[in-house]
Amino acid sequence: MAYGLSRFVSRPLAAAAVLVLAGCGMQPEGGIIPSNMGETPDGPIPDTPDHPPLPDPGALTCNPDITVAADSRALVVRDPSVLARFSLERVLSQIVSLAGEDITPEELLRRLFDAQNAAAEGVFADNPHCDDLDNAAFKNGAALFCPRAEGALASSAGLFEPGHPDSFVPVAIVNRFDLTPQFGSTCGEHRIVYAKTSGRTDPANRVFLIFEAALPNPSGFEVLSSCRPVAEAWASLGAEADLEIVADKLEQLFFTGLPGFSPVVHPDHYGAVSSESDPYSGSHGQVRVSQQMQAPWEMREYHLKRLLPGAMKLALRFQPVTVKNNPLPDLFDGANDTETALSFRSEFVNMSLWDLGQKELPKVRMQTGKQFNMGESVVSGDASVDYASRAIGVAGADFASEIQTSIDALGLNLDCPPGDPLTAESVLHRATSLTCAGCHAPQRFLGPDRSLGCGLSFPSTLGEVHIDENGTLSQALTDVFLPRRAEVLSMFLQACDVEAIKDNLEPGEAAIPK
């Protein structure tokens, strides 16, 4: 059974969107868009060399026998011999080269960490710092921890030195084709996870860098046809036993580019064409940092930019931005009567509650406007994303009571298992689980059973991570997230049911944990 490709074109999306479960955290096409929060548009980055035009596959034939195994290299690659080709220095060198900027890979990385220093202690005077008034990450509130211990890495000489405690090693290459948006701007995200060497022996000195590249769709809209080569490239790794071939194929995807595609590792693909106005599900890539060189454990987010706020000339930098889908905890406090807090709580009830109350885990989501996000997603302490503790106060006068009234009015409790209703507390726990910190450390917020109410629970992690320094995978990945991603990729390649494929892909609105 064949389907014409013209049928697979984006269209307006319903508010109750489908979640492609991710693990933890897309914008209009056509150029760099400035943020309403003051993020400055970039200058153009030079194009990569032209590739042959994408071949027209014609009508695709339904093949229900195509399957991708959840435990295969089609989704996660952790083999040391393959990872050896993906050093952090090589990735940054390619980014610098394609950007055409006069900066070394080491300086680019050191500047990323210098953003966690206060200006007075900064290593680079012209770098963004955590106490800068125009720091895009802290537009909605000052930095909670400024400086952070991780800022010391801006002065380290061992970032690329093998075996040095401050060096970073690749621990996983991750296929996030499931993040391909329905409206066709990209063919998903393709990630490399790096871990600080010290974390293998020192649990108090851990840092992870996650390079999350969004690969543009050459056609810009025909997902089923144009993104198929990317899906096939990943799927081909599933049954490949020769690690040299696996490495060669991944090198082509990441460093050379498939025919008709730019390489995954390209400066445009890590947020250069994103703005603070983008929802997480509409991103054009980012670099995220998960860190604990000091308590508490927290996550931050960066976009690779060419022109920073207030800059007079082009310069390639990692710019701190807000952590998407991570609303400020104070906004859940019913006693907070600021205009921002009142607006947030209204949007939470009227725009997110229905999706938060869904009875299937892959459909649970939350929408958070950019003006509500924090610059750090914090695992513990007063600034943590423990939203239930902020919203539950004097019964009848707190935000939790308002949520419960709306739950009852919407009938979200109907058909819940006996003894496990959907309560305001469980909705707030669901909101927490959709943040970076909540997704990576659910046991900190949801209790030992990680209950989300109405028969749902959040799967367990490796403390604060889903992939550790040795490449070990969390139960959440092996039991829930990877099987879901395998289902999405398999159905896409089968090409049998266009509407079902679209429903599996990423909606153009709302945000998900990534």
Side-chain angles (χ1 to χ4, degrees):
M1 184 177 184
Y3 289 87
L5 301 180
S6 62
R7 293 186 57 197
F8 203 76
V9 180
S10 61
R11 63 183 184 184
L13 302 171
V18 178
L19 167 68
V20 179
L21 251 180
C24 173
M26 280 187 153
Q27 110 175 13
E29 290 296 295
I32 300 165
I33 298 177
S35 166
N36 292 333
M37 297 304 293
E39 188 171 329
T40 306
D42 305 313
I45 289 177
D47 292 333
T48 51
D50 290 337
H51 291 278
L54 196 70
D56 182 1
L60 299 174
T61 302
C62 167
N63 182 357
D65 294 330
I66 296 176
T67 59
V68 174
D71 60 352
S72 73
R73 295 187 183 93
L75 298 174
V76 180
V77 176
R78 296 173 289 158
D79 306 278
S81 63
V82 177
L83 295 175
R85 301 196 196 181
F86 291 80
S87 71
L88 181 54
E89 185 174 15
R90 181 183 184 186
V91 166
L92 291 173
S93 294
Q94 172 141 323
I95 288 172
V96 169
S97 175
L98 293 179
E101 285 295 327
D102 184 20
I103 186 173
T104 67
E106 183 180 35
E107 180 181 337
L108 184 60
L109 183 59
R110 290 173 63 200
R111 284 178 175 272
L112 181 150
F113 288 110
D114 192 38
Q116 303 201 41
N117 287 319
E121 296 85 31
V123 177
F124 302 95
D126 61 343
N127 204 62
H129 295 103
C130 56
D131 57 352
D132 288 347
L133 295 179
D134 58 358
N135 189 315
F138 303 112
K139 290 290 187 180
N140 304 326
L144 301 169
F145 308 101
C146 178
R148 283 275 305 195
E150 290 79 11
L153 296 176
S155 303
S156 176
L159 297 175
F160 296 147
E161 181 182 332
H164 192 284
D166 291 343
S167 65
F168 286 83
V169 293
V171 295
I173 301 172
V174 183
N175 171 13
R176 296 307 313 277
F177 186 82
D178 59 294
L179 296 178
T180 298
Q182 292 175 345
F183 56 78
S185 62
T186 75
C187 297
E189 287 188 0
H190 310 274
R191 300 178 173 180
I192 311 175
V193 182
Y194 295 92
K196 191 169 182 285
T197 299
S198 58
R200 290 178 169 170
T201 56
D202 185 354
N205 191 355
R206 303 176 72 187
V207 180
F208 293 85
L209 290 172
I210 308 95
F211 280 68
E212 303 175 343
L215 183 63
N217 176 355
S219 76
F221 65 96
E222 285 189 336
V223 180
L224 191 60
S225 59
S226 296
C227 290
R228 189 173 181 87
V230 179
E232 290 177 334
W234 277 108
S236 71
L237 303 181
E240 182 56 66
D242 189 327
L243 294 181
E244 287 295 309
I245 294 177
V246 171
D248 289 344
K249 288 186 174 183
L250 285 173
E251 276 195 312
Q252 180 186 18
L253 176 64
F254 278 80
F255 293 114
T256 306
L258 300 176
F261 289 82
S262 57
V264 165
V265 178
H266 187 284
D268 280 354
H269 303 169
Y270 297 101
V273 293
S274 292
S275 81
E276 274 291 85
S277 297
D278 296 342
Y280 216 164
S281 59
S283 75
H284 281 262
Q286 55 277 321
V287 172
R288 288 189 294 161
V289 182
S290 178
Q291 57 191 24
Q292 192 192 32
M293 286 178 64
Q294 74 175 61
W297 193 298
E298 67 165 29
M299 291 82 174
R300 297 196 181 191
E301 184 175 335
Y302 294 80
H303 286 166
L304 188 63
K305 294 293 183 180
R306 293 290 300 283
L307 185 65
L308 303 183
M312 300 302 293
K313 63 179 181 178
L314 293 178
L316 190 68
R317 301 287 187 269
F318 284 108
Q319 178 180 338
V321 295
T322 60
V323 183
K324 306 306 178 289
N325 212 38
N326 283 257
L328 292 154
D330 284 347
L331 301 178
F332 288 86
D333 186 347
N336 185 345
D337 60 358
T338 63
E339 182 179 349
T340 299
L342 294 173
S343 175
F344 169 77
R345 294 198 293 273
S346 175
E347 288 193 18
F348 185 88
V349 170
N350 294 309
M351 297 180 64
S352 290
L353 184 56
W354 178 264
D355 290 333
L356 283 167
Q358 293 302 299
K359 295 176 174 61
E360 299 176 35
L361 194 57
K363 294 183 179 180
V364 174
R365 5 178 108 245
M366 173 174 65
Q367 298 184 58
T368 301
K370 65 184 184 300
Q371 70 272 28
F372 305 128
N373 287 322
M374 58 197 307
E376 302 133 300
S377 190
V378 186
V379 166
S380 61
D382 293 339
S384 76
V385 292
D386 186 1
Y387 297 143
S389 68
R390 298 301 187 102
I392 299 174
V394 179
D398 58 0
F399 185 39
S401 298
E402 182 182 348
I403 294 172
Q404 190 64 56
T405 298
S406 296
I407 289 173
D408 297 338
L410 292 170
L412 294 176
N413 255 322
L414 296 177
D415 302 322
C416 287
D420 188 20
L422 184 70
T423 65
E425 183 177 18
S426 57
V427 163
L428 291 160
H429 283 165
R430 291 179 179 206
T432 289
S433 74
L434 295 176
T435 67
C436 284
C439 173
H440 282 83
Q443 49 275 11
R444 295 271 192 140
F445 306 102
L446 312 181
D449 59 355
R450 303 174 306 284
S451 175
L452 299 175
C454 201
L456 299 184
S457 62
F458 200 89
S460 62
T461 68
L462 301 172
E464 292 82 13
V465 298
H466 285 289
I467 304 175
D468 70 10
E469 288 87 351
N470 298 309
T472 306
L473 304 181
S474 71
Q475 184 180 349
L477 276 171
T478 58
D479 295 359
V480 179
F481 299 151
L482 290 178
R484 174 62 177 169
R485 298 172 195 175
E487 175 188 352
V488 172
L489 187 56
S490 297
M491 182 176 290
F492 183 91
L493 290 169
Q494 289 167 4
C496 295
D497 188 334
V498 171
E499 293 305 317
I501 293 171
K502 290 174 67 176
D503 286 343
N504 265 340
L505 296 181
E506 182 67 9
E509 36 189 65
I512 68 171
K514 295 204 287 186

